[in-house]
Amino acid sequence: MPFKWKATENPRKKVDLEVMKAAVKRVLDDNVSIRAAAVEYEVDRKTLGRYVTKVKEGNETVFKADHNSSQIFSREEENDLEKYLLTAARLNHGLTSKELRRFAYEYAVARGKPISDNWKKNNQASYDWKRGFMHRHPRLSLWNPQGKSLGRGTAFNPTSVGEFFQNLRSVYHTNKFSPESIYNLDETGVTNVQKPGKVIAPKGEKQVSKMTSAERGTLVTLCCAVNATGNVVPPSLSIQDRD
């Protein structure tokens, strides 16, 4: 069964709610049969019959389409979930798919939402719910995060950054550095081992390999510096054997 239904060659006709309301009024006020009113207004006979029954029984009837009745959370609650996920990602504590499903289950229990037995059995939301949630919120996507140490992450805060620039401003004012004396330096690591791309191989193989220059090779650290006027100094290299 496909997860997302696609429209067929003859999709169901969308009903104008004002037309449906007029058809109900025609049945009740003019004593026209439901079948005749459905043909006259070109609406579904059974749908019209349900609306007529609701009005006759005195139930509060809102002629408004509701396509989210099967969703666990309302639109506002899902927007809150989206905001939480975006905030957590910016704080370097993004949730994985499984963590999102467990969090959604706990959120549903806390809000008293009706959930399926499958959710209760696994103590987490279903995989289909997660896919639907990601589809309804296109700003979210799965990423492969880069590792960051706790010390480095906690050190990058408004207090530390403000103190750094305050010290930098003080040094500039004290020594009166000119632009050609202000350099920005950065380093990067380069290895001589190429990462193989995907290859075509027979099905059922337990191990597929591809030749490279070495398995671990040599790590070359490249250090570059450029000043505020655009001048550069020759890069420095440091070679470390990783075998």
Side-chain angles (χ1 to χ4, degrees):
M1 179 182 298
F3 173 76
K4 184 179 178 182
W5 292 102
K6 295 182 179 179
T8 59
E9 296 181 358
N10 298 317
R12 182 180 297 178
K13 180 181 178 181
K14 294 184 179 180
V15 179
D16 188 342
L17 300 178
E18 292 298 327
V19 173
M20 181 64 70
K21 187 175 181 180
V24 173
K25 185 177 180 181
R26 173 80 163 150
V27 172
L28 298 178
D29 295 349
D30 300 336
N31 293 325
V32 177
S33 66
I34 295 177
R35 184 183 298 275
V39 173
E40 179 181 352
Y41 288 90
E42 298 182 351
V43 296
D44 184 73
R45 176 172 56 85
K46 293 185 177 181
T47 303
L48 176 59
R50 287 196 298 269
Y51 276 112
V52 171
T53 302
K54 287 182 180 180
V55 175
K56 283 183 177 180
E57 293 177 352
N59 298 327
E60 183 179 356
T61 304
V62 179
F63 291 88
K64 180 179 179 182
D66 184 8
H67 304 293
N68 298 326
S69 58
S70 60
Q71 289 183 200
I72 302 296
F73 303 106
S74 65
R75 184 171 301 177
E76 291 75 15
E77 290 168 339
E78 285 204 350
N79 289 338
D80 290 340
L81 278 174
E82 181 189 37
K83 292 178 182 178
Y84 178 84
L85 294 172
L86 294 174
T87 302
R90 295 190 185 103
L91 297 176
N92 301 321
H93 289 281
L95 274 66
T96 64
S97 294
K98 289 187 176 180
E99 289 173 341
L100 169 60
R101 292 166 61 185
R102 287 194 294 266
F103 182 76
Y105 167 76
E106 295 173 358
Y107 186 48
V109 173
R111 301 286 293 186
K113 296 291 183 177
I115 56 179
S116 64
D117 295 336
N118 187 34
W119 284 40
K120 298 177 182 178
K121 178 181 178 181
N122 300 320
N123 292 329
Q124 63 181 4
S126 64
Y127 178 72
D128 286 345
W129 176 87
K130 192 269 296 183
R131 288 189 60 185
F133 176 79
M134 297 292 290
H135 176 74
R136 290 189 293 273
H137 298 272
R139 288 201 300 170
L140 302 176
S141 62
L142 287 175
W143 285 74
N144 187 17
Q146 297 180 351
K148 179 180 289 187
S149 64
L150 180 62
R152 185 178 179 183
T154 54
F156 190 75
N157 55 72
T159 302
S160 299
V161 174
E163 183 178 356
F164 169 80
F165 282 104
Q166 182 64 33
N167 294 334
L168 182 63
R169 187 181 297 108
S170 176
V171 172
Y172 282 166
H173 288 325
T174 302
N175 297 278
K176 305 297 182 182
F177 288 119
S178 57
E180 62 271 8
S181 301
I182 302 174
Y183 280 84
N184 184 25
L185 183 144
D186 196 8
E187 64 178 5
T188 183
V190 182
T191 180
N192 64 346
V193 178
Q194 300 82 20
K195 183 178 180 181
K198 293 184 178 181
V199 298
I200 300 175
K203 288 185 178 180
E205 290 290 331
K206 295 183 178 180
Q207 182 176 355
V208 177
S209 304
K210 187 176 181 180
M211 291 295 180
T212 61
S213 59
E215 292 184 357
R216 298 192 63 183
T218 301
L219 177 65
V220 180
T221 302
L222 175 65
C223 185
C224 301
V226 57
N227 64 11
T229 61
N231 295 326
V232 299
V233 297
S236 60
L237 301 175
S238 174
I239 302 176
Q240 178 184 359
D241 193 357
R242 302 180 64 182
D243 288 337

Coordinates of all heavy atoms in Angstrom, one line a residue, residues 130-177:
K130 N 5.6 9.8 11.5 CA 6.8 10.6 11.3 C 7.0 11.0 9.9 O 7.3 12.2 9.6 CB 8.1 9.8 11.8 CG 9.3 10.6 11.9 CD 10.2 10.6 10.7 CE 10.7 9.2 10.3 NZ 11.6 9.3 9.1
R131 N 6.7 10.1 8.9 CA 6.8 10.5 7.5 C 5.8 11.6 7.2 O 6.1 12.5 6.4 CB 6.6 9.3 6.6 CG 7.8 8.3 6.6 CD 7.6 7.2 5.6 NE 7.5 7.8 4.2 CZ 7.2 7.1 3.2 NH1 7.0 5.8 3.3 NH2 7.2 7.6 2.0
G132 N 4.6 11.4 7.6 CA 3.6 12.4 7.4 C 3.9 13.7 8.0 O 3.7 14.8 7.4
F133 N 4.4 13.7 9.2 CA 4.8 15.0 9.9 C 5.9 15.7 9.1 O 5.9 16.9 8.9 CB 5.3 14.6 11.3 CG 5.8 15.8 12.1 CD1 4.9 16.7 12.6 CD2 7.2 16.0 12.2 CE1 5.4 17.9 13.3 CE2 7.6 17.1 12.9 CZ 6.8 18.0 13.4
M134 N 6.9 14.9 8.6 CA 8.0 15.6 7.9 C 7.5 16.1 6.6 O 8.0 17.1 6.1 CB 9.1 14.5 7.6 CG 9.8 14.0 8.9 SD 10.8 15.3 9.8 CE 12.1 15.5 8.6
H135 N 6.5 15.4 6.0 CA 5.9 15.9 4.7 C 5.1 17.2 4.9 O 5.2 18.1 4.0 CB 5.1 14.8 4.1 CG 4.4 15.2 2.8 ND1 5.0 15.4 1.6 CD2 3.1 15.6 2.6 CE1 4.2 15.8 0.7 NE2 3.0 15.9 1.2
R136 N 4.4 17.3 6.0 CA 3.6 18.5 6.3 C 4.5 19.7 6.7 O 4.0 20.8 6.7 CB 2.6 18.2 7.4 CG 1.5 17.2 6.9 CD 0.4 17.1 8.0 NE 0.9 16.5 9.2 CZ 0.8 15.2 9.4 NH1 0.4 14.4 8.5 NH2 1.3 14.7 10.6
H137 N 5.7 19.4 7.1 CA 6.6 20.5 7.5 C 7.9 20.4 6.7 O 8.9 19.9 7.1 CB 6.9 20.4 9.0 CG 5.7 20.5 9.9 ND1 5.2 21.7 10.3 CD2 4.8 19.5 10.3 CE1 4.1 21.5 11.0 NE2 3.9 20.2 11.0
P138 N 7.9 21.0 5.5 CA 9.0 20.9 4.6 C 10.3 21.6 5.0 O 11.4 21.4 4.5 CB 8.5 21.5 3.3 CG 7.4 22.4 3.7 CD 6.8 21.8 4.9
R139 N 10.2 22.5 6.1 CA 11.4 23.1 6.6 C 12.3 22.1 7.3 O 13.5 22.4 7.5 CB 11.0 24.2 7.5 CG 10.4 25.5 6.9 CD 10.6 26.7 7.7 NE 9.9 26.5 9.0 CZ 10.0 27.4 10.0 NH1 10.8 28.4 9.9 NH2 9.4 27.2 11.1
L140 N 11.8 21.0 7.7 CA 12.5 20.0 8.4 C 13.1 18.9 7.4 O 12.4 18.6 6.5 CB 11.6 19.3 9.5 CG 11.0 20.2 10.5 CD1 10.1 19.4 11.4 CD2 12.1 20.9 11.3
S141 N 14.3 18.4 7.7 CA 14.9 17.4 6.9 C 15.9 16.7 7.8 O 16.4 17.2 8.8 CB 15.5 18.0 5.6 OG 16.6 18.8 6.0
L142 N 16.3 15.5 7.3 CA 17.3 14.7 8.1 C 18.7 15.1 7.6 O 18.9 15.2 6.4 CB 17.0 13.2 7.8 CG 15.8 12.6 8.6 CD1 15.7 11.1 8.1 CD2 16.0 12.7 10.1
W143 N 19.6 15.3 8.5 CA 20.9 15.7 8.3 C 21.9 14.7 8.9 O 21.5 14.0 9.9 CB 21.2 17.1 8.8 CG 20.6 18.2 7.9 CD1 19.3 18.5 7.9 CD2 21.3 19.0 7.0 NE1 19.2 19.6 7.0 CE2 20.4 19.9 6.5 CE3 22.7 19.2 6.7 CZ2 20.7 20.9 5.5 CZ3 23.0 20.1 5.7 CH2 22.0 21.0 5.2
N144 N 23.1 14.6 8.4 CA 24.2 13.8 9.0 C 25.0 14.8 9.8 O 25.8 15.5 9.2 CB 25.0 13.1 8.0 CG 26.0 12.1 8.6 OD1 25.9 11.8 9.8 ND2 27.0 11.7 7.9
P145 N 24.8 15.0 11.1 CA 25.5 16.1 11.8 C 27.0 15.8 12.0 O 27.4 14.7 12.1 CB 24.8 16.1 13.2 CG 24.3 14.7 13.4 CD 24.0 14.2 12.0
Q146 N 27.7 16.9 12.2 CA 29.1 16.8 12.5 C 29.3 16.8 14.0 O 28.6 17.6 14.7 CB 29.9 18.0 11.9 CG 29.9 18.1 10.4 CD 30.7 19.3 9.8 OE1 31.1 20.1 10.6 NE2 30.9 19.3 8.5
G147 N 30.2 16.0 14.5 CA 30.4 16.0 15.9 C 31.0 17.2 16.5 O 31.9 17.9 15.8
K148 N 30.6 17.7 17.6 CA 31.1 18.9 18.3 C 31.3 18.6 19.8 O 30.3 18.1 20.4 CB 30.2 20.1 18.1 CG 30.7 21.3 18.8 CD 29.8 22.5 18.5 CE 29.9 23.0 17.1 NZ 29.1 24.2 16.9
S149 N 32.4 18.8 20.3 CA 32.7 18.5 21.7 C 31.8 19.4 22.6 O 31.4 20.5 22.2 CB 34.1 18.7 22.1 OG 34.5 20.1 21.9
L150 N 31.5 18.9 23.8 CA 30.7 19.6 24.7 C 31.4 20.9 25.2 O 30.7 22.0 25.3 CB 30.4 18.8 26.0 CG 29.5 19.4 27.0 CD1 28.1 19.8 26.5 CD2 29.3 18.4 28.2
G151 N 32.7 20.9 25.4 CA 33.4 22.1 25.8 C 33.4 23.1 24.8 O 33.2 24.3 25.1
R152 N 33.5 22.8 23.5 CA 33.5 23.8 22.4 C 32.1 24.3 22.3 O 31.9 25.5 22.0 CB 33.9 23.1 21.1 CG 34.1 24.1 20.0 CD 34.6 23.4 18.7 NE 34.7 24.3 17.6 CZ 35.0 23.9 16.4 NH1 35.3 22.7 16.1 NH2 35.1 24.8 15.4
G153 N 31.1 23.5 22.4 CA 29.7 23.9 22.3 C 29.3 24.9 23.4 O 28.6 25.9 23.1
T154 N 29.6 24.6 24.6 CA 29.2 25.4 25.7 C 30.0 26.7 25.8 O 29.6 27.7 26.3 CB 29.4 24.6 27.1 OG1 30.7 24.1 27.2 CG2 28.4 23.5 27.1
A155 N 31.3 26.7 25.2 CA 32.1 27.9 25.3 C 31.6 29.0 24.3 O 31.8 30.1 24.5 CB 33.5 27.5 24.9
F156 N 30.9 28.5 23.3 CA 30.3 29.5 22.3 C 29.0 30.0 22.8 O 27.9 29.4 22.5 CB 30.2 28.8 20.9 CG 29.8 29.8 19.8 CD1 30.8 30.6 19.3 CD2 28.6 29.9 19.3 CE1 30.5 31.5 18.3 CE2 28.3 30.8 18.3 CZ 29.2 31.6 17.8
N157 N 29.0 31.0 23.6 CA 27.8 31.6 24.2 C 28.0 33.2 24.1 O 29.1 33.7 23.9 CB 27.6 31.1 25.6 CG 28.8 31.4 26.5 OD1 29.1 32.5 26.9 ND2 29.5 30.3 26.8
P158 N 26.9 33.9 24.3 CA 27.0 35.4 24.2 C 28.0 36.0 25.1 O 28.6 37.0 24.8 CB 25.5 35.8 24.5 CG 24.7 34.6 24.2 CD 25.5 33.4 24.5
T159 N 28.1 35.4 26.4 CA 29.1 36.0 27.3 C 30.5 35.9 26.8 O 31.3 36.8 26.9 CB 28.9 35.4 28.7 OG1 27.6 35.5 29.1 CG2 29.8 36.0 29.7
S160 N 30.9 34.6 26.4 CA 32.2 34.4 26.0 C 32.6 35.2 24.7 O 33.6 35.7 24.5 CB 32.5 32.9 25.7 OG 32.3 32.2 26.9
V161 N 31.6 35.2 23.7 CA 31.8 35.9 22.5 C 32.0 37.4 22.7 O 32.8 38.1 22.2 CB 30.7 35.6 21.5 CG1 30.8 36.5 20.3 CG2 30.7 34.1 21.1
G162 N 31.1 37.9 23.6 CA 31.2 39.4 23.9 C 32.5 39.7 24.6 O 33.1 40.8 24.3
E163 N 33.0 38.8 25.5 CA 34.3 39.1 26.2 C 35.4 39.0 25.2 O 36.4 39.8 25.2 CB 34.5 38.0 27.2 CG 35.8 38.2 28.1 CD 35.9 37.2 29.1 OE1 35.0 36.4 29.3 OE2 37.0 37.2 29.8
F164 N 35.4 38.1 24.2 CA 36.4 38.0 23.2 C 36.5 39.3 22.4 O 37.6 39.8 22.2 CB 36.1 36.8 22.2 CG 37.0 36.8 21.0 CD1 38.3 36.3 21.1 CD2 36.5 37.2 19.8 CE1 39.1 36.3 19.9 CE2 37.3 37.2 18.7 CZ 38.6 36.8 18.7
F165 N 35.4 39.8 21.9 CA 35.4 41.0 21.1 C 35.8 42.2 21.9 O 36.3 43.2 21.3 CB 34.1 41.2 20.3 CG 33.9 40.3 19.1 CD1 33.1 39.2 19.2 CD2 34.6 40.6 17.9 CE1 33.0 38.3 18.1 CE2 34.5 39.8 16.8 CZ 33.7 38.6 16.9
Q166 N 35.5 42.2 23.2 CA 35.8 43.3 24.0 C 37.4 43.4 24.2 O 38.0 44.4 24.1 CB 35.2 43.2 25.4 CG 35.5 44.3 26.3 CD 34.9 45.7 25.8 OE1 33.9 45.7 25.2 NE2 35.6 46.7 26.2
N167 N 38.0 42.2 24.4 CA 39.4 42.1 24.4 C 40.1 42.5 23.1 O 41.1 43.2 23.1 CB 39.9 40.7 24.9 CG 39.4 40.4 26.3 OD1 39.2 41.3 27.1 ND2 39.3 39.1 26.6
L168 N 39.5 42.0 22.0 CA 40.0 42.4 20.7 C 39.9 43.9 20.5 O 40.9 44.4 19.9 CB 39.2 41.6 19.6 CG 39.7 41.8 18.2 CD1 41.1 41.2 18.0 CD2 38.7 41.1 17.2
R169 N 38.8 44.5 20.8 CA 38.7 45.9 20.7 C 39.8 46.7 21.5 O 40.4 47.7 21.0 CB 37.3 46.4 21.0 CG 37.0 47.9 20.7 CD 35.6 48.3 21.2 NE 34.6 47.5 20.4 CZ 33.9 46.6 20.9 NH1 34.0 46.2 22.2 NH2 33.0 45.9 20.2
S170 N 40.0 46.2 22.7 CA 41.0 46.8 23.6 C 42.4 46.7 23.0 O 43.2 47.7 23.0 CB 40.9 46.2 24.9 OG 41.9 46.7 25.8
V171 N 42.7 45.5 22.4 CA 44.0 45.4 21.8 C 44.2 46.3 20.6 O 45.3 46.9 20.4 CB 44.2 43.9 21.4 CG1 45.5 43.7 20.6 CG2 44.3 43.0 22.6
Y172 N 43.2 46.4 19.8 CA 43.2 47.3 18.6 C 43.5 48.7 19.0 O 44.3 49.4 18.4 CB 41.9 47.2 17.8 CG 41.8 46.0 16.9 CD1 40.6 45.6 16.4 CD2 42.9 45.1 16.7 CE1 40.5 44.5 15.6 CE2 42.8 44.0 15.9 CZ 41.6 43.7 15.3 OH 41.5 42.6 14.6
H173 N 42.8 49.2 20.0 CA 42.9 50.6 20.4 C 44.3 50.8 21.1 O 44.9 51.9 21.0 CB 41.8 51.0 21.4 CG 40.5 51.1 20.8 ND1 40.3 51.6 19.5 CD2 39.2 50.8 21.3 CE1 39.0 51.6 19.2 NE2 38.3 51.0 20.3
T174 N 44.8 49.8 21.8 CA 46.1 50.0 22.4 C 47.3 50.0 21.5 O 48.2 50.8 21.6 CB 46.3 48.9 23.5 OG1 45.2 48.9 24.4 CG2 47.6 49.1 24.2
N175 N 47.3 49.1 20.5 CA 48.4 48.9 19.6 C 48.3 49.6 18.3 O 49.2 49.7 17.5 CB 48.7 47.4 19.4 CG 49.0 46.7 20.6 OD1 50.2 46.7 21.1 ND2 48.0 46.0 21.2
K176 N 47.1 50.1 18.0 CA 46.8 50.8 16.7 C 47.3 50.0 15.5 O 48.0 50.4 14.6 CB 47.6 52.2 16.7 CG 47.2 53.1 17.9 CD 45.8 53.5 17.9 CE 45.5 54.4 19.1 NZ 44.1 54.8 19.2
F177 N 46.8 48.7 15.4 CA 47.1 47.9 14.3 C 46.5 48.4 13.0 O 45.4 48.9 12.9 CB 46.6 46.5 14.5 CG 47.4 45.7 15.5 CD1 46.7 45.2 16.7 CD2 48.7 45.5 15.4 CE1 47.4 44.5 17.6 CE2 49.4 44.8 16.4 CZ 48.8 44.3 17.5

